[in-house]
Structures are given as structure tokens and as C-alpha cells.
Amino acid sequence: MMPKLLLQAAAAVADRRWYGSGGRRGYLPLRHPPHVAPGRFTACLLAVAAVTTTFALALTLHRPDLSSAAAYAASPRGGGGAGYAVVINTWKRYDLLRRSVAHYSGCGGVDAVHVVWSEPEEPTEELRGSVLNCSDGGGAGVRFVINAEDSLNNRFRPIQGLTTDAIFSVDDDLIVPCSTLRFAFAVWQSAPSAMVGFVPRMHWLADPGSNAKEYRYGSWWSVWWTGTYSMVLSKASFFHRQYLDLYTNRMLPSIRDYVNENRNCEDIAMSFLVANVTGSPPIWVQGGHTEVPFRDVTAGRIFEIGSSGISSLKGHDLQRSKCLNTFSAMYGHMPLVATRVKAVDSRTSWFW
């Protein structure tokens, strides 16, 4: 039984038109029109049941052969798979990694935990043992995904052996309580083509009255003040595993090159990719977010157990704004769609 949901607005999958050319046919998702302002919102709905959507990934940046695109159009509906895989991105924070693995491997619904490893040296046997032992006692299995090079793009590389459609991508320093994670998974199952996550962000036109389309990155305070967002960061979000293939094998290589050169914005690149495919906004799941010690995790709230990372560096927002403008230029338009969607678990909320 799916938990009772409050979806103030449903993330609709883009309309798709059946078309033919030269005897070859397929689905073509309609892109978000460039002239639509980011502040134009999806119509508000109240839903108590699941919203059924079709997951059709026919259009990518390379406009691939439609025979290949047809395979994406035939993808499972409604979020197949018995559970979800947790994919933890980590970098030289071994205590945090152990804590994260211990937590997520014990959550119900987690099929497996995959640790994305991009350090120059492979993990020591001691570290492997201590991490793998975190799942002792009937928890989900844990495995390392070893990458040959250090790249932020590694977190979106296809993973061999996945048995679920749903992926929960998370950084090693962020803990989402199991009950909150279970609710977010239910939301994703109702809209499996969307990104569903806990950390919303926004993009803004620097000068709405100008013909020049220059964008600014809006952090959490921008979202809090306006109630509007157009991205949920991959540091804590659900998405379909087929986006891993699209990101690694179909997205413009120049975008991945930019991420490698600047060591930033792989999460924005994924948000662009999903929005370009679906023409729809992501879904923000209310969960609370604060930085406190790991031992203080309580039901319903999300906690950071580390204090260092790329986002703590000086000039972070300026670099993120540069990413927005660079990626929109590469796409030829701004695919991100702004919304006021928020999913709330009514069992734990006083206000609907």
C-alpha cells in the first residue's frame, strides 16, 4: 500500500507525438519551449493516489537511431523493480562512508548499496572489510564500483548488475532517515521519469527584460524565499537507471568534458538531461535538512554528517551560474522547468 501522499502539483511527462520519416517511426518528446519563463508553473493538483506516467526516453542530444530510441520508449511503466539501489559517491572520507553504508544497507526496500570509488588507489582490504561488514545482520549487500580515473562523471556511469529500475544517488555525508526514504521512493514510483529528491535549487534570468539570456544559480535561500525550484540535486535524489546510460553514452561529450575540467556541476548536467528528455520539472520531497552530528538522526529529517565539500568553496555559486549558461548554450535553449511542486507525507505533517 502506497503511503498517503500530498502532491500539490504532479510532474507531467512531456507530450510525445508519433511521427514517421523515411519509413522509420518513433516517439519524439516535446522540449520545453525556450520562450516560456522559468517561473511558469505546472497546474496545481491534489492527489491521494499515484500518478501514472510513461517513461519514454526517445530523444537525446545526439538524436540517436530510432531503433535504439524505441527500446527506451518501451521501458517499464510505473517504476519496475522490487526496490531500489543506493549509489553512494565518496572521496577520502572513510568514517563517513562506513556510517552511510551502515545506515542505508539497513533501510527496508534497499536492494543493494553501490559505493562509487574514484580515488587513484583502490580501497585497502582493511577498508573493504570494514565497509562490507557494515551490512552484516541481514542488511542489503554492498559492493565497490571501482573507476580507473578520478571524475565527477563517475557517479553517473552505468553500473553492472543493477536489478532495480530505481536509483537513489547520495553523497557519503548525507543521511536520509529510512522512513523518509521510503516515502520518497513511493513518490518516484508515481513518476518514474522524474528526478525526485530532497535538495532543491533554482535558476533565474539575470535580467528578465533583456534579450540576452543570462542565468543565475539560486541556492536554498532562493528556494525558501520564493517557493520555486527547477532542480533537485543528485546528492540526494531518485531517478531511473536508464539516465545513467543517457548521461554517459548519449549526452554531449562536451558537457562531460566541462565537468571534468571544472570539477563541478555534474548534478546540474544531470538535471539538464532529465528536463530535456521529459520537458517536465523534478519533484521536491519535503524532508527537512540541517547539519548536525550523525547520532542525532530522528524520523523525518535529513542530516549532513560532514562539513567539507565542493559547495563549501569560495565562489561556488558563481561557478554554478557559469555552468547554467554554458550548458544552456550547448543545448541551444534552457531545458530546466520551474515549479512549485512539493510532495508531503501527510502522516508526519501538521499542515497540508
Side-chain angles (χ1 to χ4, degrees), residues 176-200:
V176 180
C178 297
S179 59
T180 305
L181 201 59
R182 185 166 55 249
F183 172 75
F185 177 52
V187 175
W188 178 86
Q189 287 180 303
S190 75
S193 65
M195 286 188 74
V196 175
F198 299 96
V199 187

Side-chain angles (χ1 to χ4, degrees), residues 80-85 109-112 114 159-167 241:
Y84 56 93
V110 175
D111 177 76
H114 302 267
I159 297 174
Q160 297 296 321
L162 284 177
T163 60
T164 64
D165 289 336
I167 289 175
R241 67 176 179 178

Side-chain angles (χ1 to χ4, degrees), residues 79-131:
Y84 56 93
V86 174
V87 178
I88 301 177
N89 195 56
T90 188
W91 178 262
K92 296 186 177 181
R93 299 191 289 192
Y94 307 141
D95 287 340
L96 301 186
L97 176 61
R98 293 186 188 95
R99 293 176 177 182
S100 293
V101 169
H103 171 74
Y104 290 112
S105 63
C107 289
V110 175
D111 177 76
V113 176
H114 302 267
V115 178
V116 178
W117 186 272
S118 300
E119 295 183 23
E121 302 294 331
E122 293 193 8
T124 64
E125 289 302 318
E126 180 184 0
L127 178 62
R128 282 179 185 266
S130 64
V131 170

Side-chain angles (χ1 to χ4, degrees), residues 66-311:
L66 292 179
S67 61
S68 173
Y72 285 107
S75 299
R77 300 187 180 194
Y84 56 93
V86 174
V87 178
I88 301 177
N89 195 56
T90 188
W91 178 262
K92 296 186 177 181
R93 299 191 289 192
Y94 307 141
D95 287 340
L96 301 186
L97 176 61
R98 293 186 188 95
R99 293 176 177 182
S100 293
V101 169
H103 171 74
Y104 290 112
S105 63
C107 289
V110 175
D111 177 76
V113 176
H114 302 267
V115 178
V116 178
W117 186 272
S118 300
E119 295 183 23
E121 302 294 331
E122 293 193 8
T124 64
E125 289 302 318
E126 180 184 0
L127 178 62
R128 282 179 185 266
S130 64
V131 170
L132 297 179
N133 288 336
C134 289
S135 64
D136 284 352
V142 181
R143 64 182 291 260
F144 281 83
V145 180
I146 307 298
N147 293 282
E149 60 178 349
D150 172 20
S151 171
L152 291 177
N153 292 312
N154 288 341
R155 75 181 306 159
F156 299 134
R157 291 181 62 83
I159 297 174
Q160 297 296 321
L162 284 177
T163 60
T164 64
D165 289 336
I167 289 175
F168 180 64
S169 172
V170 65
D171 285 355
D172 58 8
D173 64 345
L174 202 139
I175 297 294
V176 180
C178 297
S179 59
T180 305
L181 201 59
R182 185 166 55 249
F183 172 75
F185 177 52
V187 175
W188 178 86
Q189 287 180 303
S190 75
S193 65
M195 286 188 74
V196 175
F198 299 96
V199 187
R201 295 292 184 265
M202 183 57 192
H203 74 287
W204 303 100
L205 279 171
D207 184 1
S210 172
N211 291 328
K213 301 297 183 182
E214 183 179 354
Y215 298 96
R216 293 286 181 266
Y217 179 78
S219 63
W220 160 246
W221 293 110
S222 176
V223 175
W224 179 83
W225 183 255
T226 65
T228 308
Y229 67 99
S230 58
M231 296 171 276
V232 291
L233 301 187
S234 56
K235 68 185 295 179
S237 67
F238 281 94
F239 52 81
H240 199 285
R241 67 176 179 178
Q242 289 183 339
Y243 286 124
L244 300 180
D245 178 63
L246 288 180
Y247 186 99
T248 302
N249 300 316
R250 308 296 186 90
M251 189 175 70
L252 284 174
S254 57
I255 297 179
R256 293 191 298 274
D257 292 341
Y258 184 93
V259 169
N260 281 334
E261 292 166 5
N262 293 272
R263 295 195 60 80
N264 205 331
C265 299
E266 82 287 355
D267 48 359
I268 294 179
M270 177 58 86
S271 291
F272 267 66
L273 171 66
V274 176
N276 191 61
V277 169
T278 65
S280 301
I283 302 176
W284 169 24
V285 176
Q286 178 175 294
H289 187 199
T290 186
E291 184 178 319
V292 297
F294 177 82
R295 63 180 181 274
D296 290 338
V297 171
T298 56
R301 295 190 64 80
I302 301 166
F303 300 98
E304 290 190 65
I305 55 177
S307 59
S308 63
I310 293 176
S311 60

